[in-house]
Amino acid sequence: MVVPTNLGFPYVGAKRELKKSVEAYWSGKISADELKTAYQKIQASQWKLQKEQGIQHIPSGEYTLYDRVLDTAHQFGVIPTRYQHIKDPLQQFFAMGRGLQKPATATTEKVDVPAQEMKKWFDTNYHFIVPEFEPNQQFTLQNPTSVEQYNYAKSLGIETRPVLIGPVSFLHLGKTAKGFDQFETLSLLPKILPYYVELLKQLEAAGAEWVQIDEPALILDLPESAKAAFEEAYKTIKASVSIKVLVAAYFGRVEKNIDSLLPHIDAVHLDLVRAPEELDVVLPLLNDKQTLSLGLVDGRNIWINNLAKSIESTQKAVAALGKDRVFVGPSCSLAHAPFSTSFEKKIAEKNPELFSWLAFSVEKTKEIVAIATAVNHGPESVKDVLEANAAALESRRTSAQTKNPAVRDRAANVAPEDWKRPAEFAVRREAQVKKLKLPLFPTTTIGSFPQTKEIRVARQKFNKGELTSVEYDDFIKSEMKKMVEFQEKVGLDVFVHGEPERNDMVEHFGHLLYGFDFTENGWVVSYGSRCVKPPVIFGDVSRRGPMTIAETVYAQSLTDKPMKGMLTGPVTMMKWSFVRDDLPLNQICTQIALSLRDEVVDLESAGIPCIQVDEPAIREGLPIRRADWDAYLDWSVACFRLSTSGVRNETQIHTHMCYSDFNDIFDAIAALDADVLTIENSKSDEKLLKIFESKKYPNEIGPGVYDIHSPRVPSVDQMKQKADDLLKYLKPELLWINPDCGLKTRGWTETEAALNNMVDVARQLRSQYAA
């Protein structure tokens, strides 16, 4: 019979219980044992839920306290030297992920270590901790979470399918540790494979019949050495263990990458949401014993599945292989989707039509089971489910909520001159220097200041009707005033209003645009314990009215320093939302860009001299395969320029980027033609320096001099060294001094200390370059 399976579940919990427990542990409110009890409670409830839904291959081992790649590194002993003096395994684990700074005590030495590099997980909005490998890396196997979780599930009477990150993806996604000459990390495969084999033997001894080994690197443009590594790895595993191996690829098309791997595994999982054409390609490649796992339900978005279409695809696989050799599941782990629509009371009440189009993780497991049941027992066995699904799909296709003819007409008829600034950068810079009168090495922040408990409580009270609009506005103004006074005290050069009114850089704007709606509990993990609640883009997008004018103008009235208007760019607005899947992405992005263009023009008209349009997601949106890059970059860069090109020469356009390796699209970033680019640099281990060696960035630029993702406060000397390194390649008159990213998640004490150090760096540089 066709088996309904799952690849992963929202490990953060139904209502972010894990986030709250982890942060309670960090703050010393609960112990390590209490933390373990908390996450085991989440695991148990979710395994039971999936079993009750009818999922037969329930995943285990994918629950993490911070990041699965970090789990893998820690369990195989891939622990950089700078963390090895931290003896407590849990503290060591978290230090690798988020850094650790502790003063010396009478009995302990001072600890001051930065976090490891964080990078986007393929083209998702999740971030993983990049493993660091030494050429002589020694591996061990210690406390594997997959074995622990499998045994715990078994003690509850639940059989699960353990999940591992595969050896080739683990090595391929890693990097050479700092201080060593670059080497091919895949060369370590023969050394790590015995430990993978030992882990699989432990799972086999525990009673596991199947293991899911995630190899998402299969969807990349791979060198021949990587393809050979897949063959070597799974040939070795096949010869060493009897446990059945399912290799899962997701987020894109595998193409020829699985050819050498396929003979050595028992089953392969394909993402048929992203690459539906691969069903016909892979079916003929399977031998008469292998199983195909069909990723038919979208694990990354929130729209209902087309069950009839998925049943048809499953039937095609069954016709070729038989029912006993077909699994049905999500395209990828459901950790990338929210927990359940059962919490979405507001949408259900106010917009039941939209609600009928939504499916979160719990609902997606029901869809998976419905597909398998329909194929196993005939469509009549799930007749009511199929009829309701067909009605909802037709409702969405024909709904007036999704279409605005005026918006579509404007997007289809953009004038050619609106796609770029009228003057070149050199002309604009001359006008901006004259107007802004900034010092050499100007300092600024990226936009947000700490979101304190008081701010969050006030927002909650306002949303519940416990504060009037006037009371809430007065509170927000008082917070902005404090933030402006803080920037005066620290000595920054270009100010921001601090964004106390914003809960999220995308959701905030979504409330001010047509075509968006919002969930109450649609949380997904972004990194570590940080969760985001993406808006839902369900219809054509246009501006309801001015979005940021009032607060920005008020903040500017409090200071003579130039104030930046702060907007989120069109690509990021789209990528960091649950975006509609019934319209091409370039058309959606153009609609958002035009809405932002109107806001940018209004900010300039209101007297705001600098306007920042953030695009941290532009790299994340890049297609996995290089063959698809040019088309994407053409329209994504064009949409940014469309949003920012309506202003005069003297208005300084900023953009900000973070969370990604931007070196491979640096030319496209330059083509955005922002007057000032602030870009993450410290968290990515200063990779930008490599591109500056070979390319010149033509406009002004501010690579971050410190990492805001860690509570650690770097010293003046440490920040100054980063600036000095940058000045080997950049002209002094073009360099800005700023943090890596916004300061929303930090506390005020560390923020003030870090910014004081940063401003000291700028002052030192001005003295140094005064001549």
Side-chain angles (χ1 to χ4, degrees):
M1 303 294 276
V2 173
V3 177
T5 70
N6 190 14
L7 272 64
F9 215 62
Y11 57 84
V12 74
K15 290 196 170 182
R16 297 181 295 155
E17 294 88 349
L18 183 63
K19 167 191 171 66
K20 296 165 188 174
S21 297
V22 166
E23 292 176 358
Y25 170 77
W26 290 342
S27 62
K29 295 176 182 175
I30 65 172
S31 67
D33 287 341
E34 290 171 314
L35 175 59
K36 182 176 181 178
T37 299
Y39 77 71
Q40 284 190 333
K41 182 178 179 181
I42 296 169
Q43 292 169 5
S45 67
Q46 294 193 356
W47 289 329
K48 290 174 183 176
L49 184 152
Q50 292 174 78
K51 184 177 181 180
E52 290 167 0
Q53 299 280 37
I55 297 294
Q56 293 179 27
H57 283 197
I58 299 167
S60 65
E62 92 283 17
Y63 289 86
T64 178
L65 293 174
Y66 201 89
D67 169 57
R68 287 180 58 211
V69 181
L70 181 58
D71 283 341
T72 305
H74 204 250
Q75 76 177 10
F76 285 121
V78 186
I79 300 167
T81 304
R82 62 186 179 276
Y83 306 106
Q84 291 179 6
H85 67 287
I86 304 172
K87 300 305 178 186
D88 181 272
L90 189 57
Q91 286 200 21
Q92 182 186 67
F93 172 82
F94 283 129
M96 292 166 69
R98 63 192 297 264
L100 184 62
Q101 196 169 45
K102 294 171 66 175
T105 68
T107 58
T108 62
E109 295 182 353
K110 173 183 176 182
V111 178
D112 185 6
V113 289
Q116 290 184 240
E117 180 185 355
M118 185 171 70
K119 191 175 179 180
K120 286 286 186 180
W121 183 241
F122 295 85
D123 61 347
T124 73
N125 191 26
Y126 178 74
H127 311 77
F128 75 101
I129 301 300
V130 180
E132 301 176 18
F133 299 105
E134 299 179 6
N136 62 344
Q137 183 73 52
Q138 301 301 305
F139 297 99
T140 59
L141 181 62
Q142 49 191 22
N143 305 316
T145 56
S146 55
V147 177
E148 176 188 307
Q149 291 181 27
Y150 176 80
N151 284 329
Y152 178 52
K154 196 170 184 179
S155 74
L156 301 173
I158 300 173
E159 183 61 32
T160 59
R161 184 174 72 191
V163 181
L164 311 176
I165 289 179
V168 181
S169 292
F170 177 57
L171 293 173
H172 186 66
L173 295 173
K175 67 176 186 179
T176 302
K178 207 166 186 177
F180 295 91
D181 292 335
Q182 290 293 318
F183 75 103
E184 175 56 74
T185 53
L186 282 173
S187 66
L188 296 171
L189 185 63
K191 295 182 71 173
I192 199 172
L193 272 178
Y195 296 94
Y196 266 92
V197 168
E198 172 57 29
L199 175 54
L200 291 169
K201 286 182 176 179
Q202 289 187 25
L203 290 170
E204 193 172 27
E209 179 185 3
W210 280 92
V211 64
Q212 172 187 319
I213 304 182
D214 288 352
E215 289 283 13
L218 281 165
I219 67 160
L220 299 173
D221 291 315
L222 293 175
E224 290 303 317
S225 60
K227 296 176 186 177
F230 277 113
E231 181 176 19
E232 177 186 355
Y234 289 92
K235 192 173 183 179
T236 299
I237 288 170
K238 183 73 170 176
S240 305
V241 297
S242 299
I243 192 170
K244 294 179 182 178
V245 173
L246 164 72
V247 169
Y250 39 77
F251 302 149
R253 54 189 191 267
V254 295
E255 296 183 353
K256 295 289 187 181
N257 289 342
I258 64 166
D259 289 3
S260 59
L261 150 77
L262 207 51
H264 310 294
I265 60 177
D266 300 285
V268 63
H269 175 85
L270 301 177
D271 183 341
L272 298 178
V273 173
R274 286 295 187 91
E277 70 280 3
E278 294 211 319
L279 176 59
D280 290 331
V281 174
V282 173
L283 274 175
L285 302 180
L286 301 175
N287 65 36
D288 59 4
K289 294 183 180 179
Q290 288 176 310
T291 296
L292 182 59
S293 176
L294 310 177
L296 294 169
V297 174
D298 194 343
R300 293 177 54 174
N301 215 329
I302 45 80
W303 306 109
I304 57 172
N305 185 260
N306 186 328
L307 293 180
K309 186 177 178 181
S310 293
I311 290 167
E312 182 181 339
S313 296
T314 307
Q315 289 170 332
K316 178 184 285 190
V318 166
L321 304 175
K323 289 181 181 179
D324 293 341
R325 293 170 52 207
V326 175
F327 296 164
V328 172
S331 58
C332 62
S333 169
L334 294 177
H336 299 284
F339 188 77
S340 173
T341 60
S342 63
F343 297 108
E344 305 307 323
K345 308 298 185 185
K346 290 182 180 178
I347 293 180
E349 178 183 343
K350 295 180 180 178
N351 195 339
E353 183 180 45
L354 172 60
F355 183 78
S356 74
W357 307 338
L358 303 179
F360 295 177
S361 293
V362 171
E363 293 72 38
K364 289 176 186 295
T365 60
K366 294 178 181 178
E367 291 180 331
I368 292 164
V369 172
I371 294 164
T373 302
V375 176
N376 286 332
H377 305 292
E380 286 296 315
S381 63
V382 286
K383 179 181 177 183
D384 292 346
V385 173
L386 297 181
E387 288 179 351
N389 177 258
L393 290 170
E394 180 63 12
S395 160
R396 186 178 178 209
R397 188 185 69 82
T398 59
S399 175
Q401 291 197 71
T402 65
K403 301 176 183 69
N404 183 324
V407 170
R408 295 200 179 191
D409 182 68
R410 186 186 182 196
N413 294 285
V414 176
E417 61 269 20
D418 288 347
W419 294 100
K420 65 178 183 177
R421 299 282 291 271
E424 297 299 316
F425 170 70
V427 174
R428 303 196 309 264
R429 185 172 189 273
E430 184 177 353
Q432 292 161 19
V433 168
K434 183 177 179 180
K435 179 177 181 177
L436 296 174
K437 298 180 174 59
L438 296 174
L440 196 62
F441 305 109
T443 56
T444 191
T445 60
I446 304 307
S448 59
F449 277 119
Q451 289 262 319
T452 62
K453 181 179 180 181
E454 291 75 18
I455 292 174
R456 294 193 298 272
V457 168
R459 184 181 299 123
Q460 290 168 359
K461 286 184 175 180
F462 175 64
N463 290 336
K464 292 177 180 177
E466 297 172 9
L467 286 179
T468 66
S469 294
V470 172
E471 290 170 331
Y472 184 63
D473 288 346
D474 287 345
F475 171 79
I476 292 298
K477 283 184 176 179
S478 70
E479 291 297 310
M480 285 194 285
K481 189 171 187 293
K482 292 176 190 174
M483 292 171 181
V484 170
E485 289 171 348
F486 170 79
Q487 292 171 88
E488 295 275 12
K489 175 185 173 185
V490 170
L492 296 170
D493 299 304
V494 174
F495 285 15
V496 296
H497 76 281
E499 305 178 13
E501 81 287 4
R502 302 183 189 183
N503 56 343
D504 177 83
M505 65 184 291
V506 176
E507 182 177 348
H508 174 78
F509 289 102
H511 282 286
L512 304 170
L513 294 163
Y514 292 109
F516 281 75
D517 212 326
F518 308 90
T519 65
E520 296 169 79
N521 195 57
W523 297 100
V524 291
V525 177
S526 178
Y527 64 87
S529 69
R530 176 163 168 73
C531 298
V532 293
K533 186 158 60 70
V536 177
I537 301 178
F538 68 91
D540 291 336
V541 178
S542 61
R543 195 173 66 143
R544 294 177 181 270
M547 299 187 288
T548 63
I549 309 303
E551 56 263 35
T552 311
V553 168
Y554 172 73
Q556 182 65 86
S557 73
L558 302 174
T559 181
D560 292 330
K561 293 288 183 74
M563 182 68 59
K564 282 193 291 189
M566 302 299 303
L567 303 172
T568 302
V571 177
T572 300
M573 289 277 285
M574 183 180 69
K575 279 294 298 180
W576 289 3
S577 298
F578 290 120
V579 67
R580 62 191 300 183
D581 57 2
D582 60 344
L583 200 67
L585 294 180
N586 63 323
Q587 293 182 30
I588 302 168
C589 199
T590 300
Q591 292 178 4
I592 300 172
L594 287 167
S595 303
L596 292 172
R597 180 185 180 88
D598 296 340
E599 185 72 11
V600 168
V601 170
D602 282 353
L603 281 166
E604 181 187 65
S605 298
I608 304 304
C610 306
I611 302 166
Q612 181 170 308
V613 180
D614 290 345
E615 279 292 24
I618 199 164
R619 173 62 177 81
E620 165 193 324
L622 198 66
I624 297 293
R625 297 285 187 168
R626 283 183 179 265
D628 305 325
W629 283 17
D630 287 349
Y632 163 79
L633 290 171
D634 283 348
W635 62 257
S636 59
V637 168
C639 283
F640 176 86
R641 291 168 69 140
L642 177 62
S643 68
T644 57
S645 65
V647 295
R648 299 184 297 270
N649 291 341
E650 63 266 27
T651 297
Q652 191 173 70
I653 295 293
H654 293 232
T655 191
H656 172 67
M657 297 181 180
C658 55
Y659 298 143
S660 288
D661 182 356
F662 293 100
N663 291 11
D664 48 8
I665 62 162
F666 203 76
D667 290 338
I669 292 173
L672 296 173
D673 199 28
D675 298 306
V676 181
L677 165 67
T678 51
I679 189 165
E680 181 267 316
N681 176 56
S682 296
K683 183 65 174 171
S684 65
D685 202 19
E686 301 176 59
K687 287 183 179 178
L688 280 175
L689 291 177
K690 297 179 179 65
I691 197 70
F692 292 146
E693 291 176 1
S694 58
K695 297 193 179 214
K696 300 291 185 184
Y697 184 72
N699 300 4
E700 298 185 31
I701 187 167
V705 295
Y706 79 93
D707 172 23
I708 64 85
H709 301 92
S710 167
R712 177 179 176 272
V713 177
S715 67
V716 173
D717 288 344
Q718 288 169 332
M719 292 193 208
K720 175 67 162 50
Q721 184 60 56
K722 290 184 184 295
D724 288 340
D725 290 341
L726 291 164
L727 284 164
K728 295 173 184 176
Y729 310 103
L730 299 173
K731 294 179 180 179
E733 63 270 23
L734 297 181
L735 182 64
W736 286 61
I737 305 298
N738 47 263
D740 258 357
C741 202
L743 299 162
K744 174 182 176 180
T745 61
R746 300 274 55 90
W748 272 110
T749 300
E750 68 214 47
T751 294
E752 182 168 10
L755 290 179
N756 276 322
N757 288 353
M758 188 188 84
V759 170
D760 279 350
V761 169
R763 289 171 178 153
Q764 287 185 26
L765 289 170
R766 287 167 195 159
S767 297
Q768 183 178 338
Y769 285 84

